[in-house]
Amino acid sequence: MFITDEYLAFGDGTISKGWGVASATLISNTSAISTGVTKTKSKHVTSILYFNSLDSMELFHKRDWYIIQLRNDENHIVKCFYTRSRKKADRFIDAMNFYISTAKDFG
């Protein structure tokens, strides 16, 4: 996670897509020879949330989890954060509210 005065950025991991082809030929009753080719493409997924486009947060408690829903200025959920600690959830909301309130407008 990376935080500046303007945005919150974090990596969501990687997306991998691949395919493979293989062929085998029986040499005897007990052995075979084979060959194969595989190709994989990976992409690092990163999200950037600009504080001046965020509007509100909602905190939910479900089983052992506290769920923070982060909403944009069009009231769409842009990201959910999960923690098992109410104290950490409250601190995260306080920090995000500070960054949202001090964010510069677009333009």
Side-chain angles (χ1 to χ4, degrees):
M1 185 182 293
F2 183 72
I3 301 173
T4 71
D5 291 340
E6 296 177 0
Y7 61 86
L8 169 68
F10 43 94
D12 291 326
T14 57
I15 296 174
S16 297
K17 294 181 181 179
W19 58 272
V21 176
S23 178
T25 302
L26 192 60
I27 295 175
S28 68
N29 289 339
T30 59
S31 62
I33 189 167
S34 67
T35 183
V37 175
T38 185
K39 182 177 181 180
T40 303
K41 183 178 181 181
S42 296
K43 178 174 76 168
H44 186 69
V45 180
T46 302
S47 299
I48 297 177
L49 301 174
Y50 289 91
F51 295 121
N52 56 5
S53 68
L54 301 177
D55 186 54
S56 64
M57 284 165 283
E58 291 186 58
L59 177 62
F60 298 95
H61 183 245
K62 185 174 183 179
R63 295 189 185 110
D64 294 336
W65 291 99
Y66 292 93
I67 305 161
I68 304 154
Q69 289 183 343
L70 189 55
R71 295 179 177 271
N72 66 8
D73 51 4
E74 295 174 345
N75 205 31
H76 295 125
I77 298 170
V78 293
K79 187 73 177 168
C80 291
F81 296 92
Y82 298 84
T83 182
R84 292 189 185 264
S85 166
R86 173 64 190 250
K87 184 177 180 179
K88 288 181 181 180
D90 289 336
R91 291 165 109 186
F92 180 81
I93 290 171
D94 288 344
M96 290 298 293
N97 280 329
F98 170 78
Y99 282 111
I100 291 169
S101 69
T102 59
K104 298 175 183 173
D105 290 333
F106 285 118

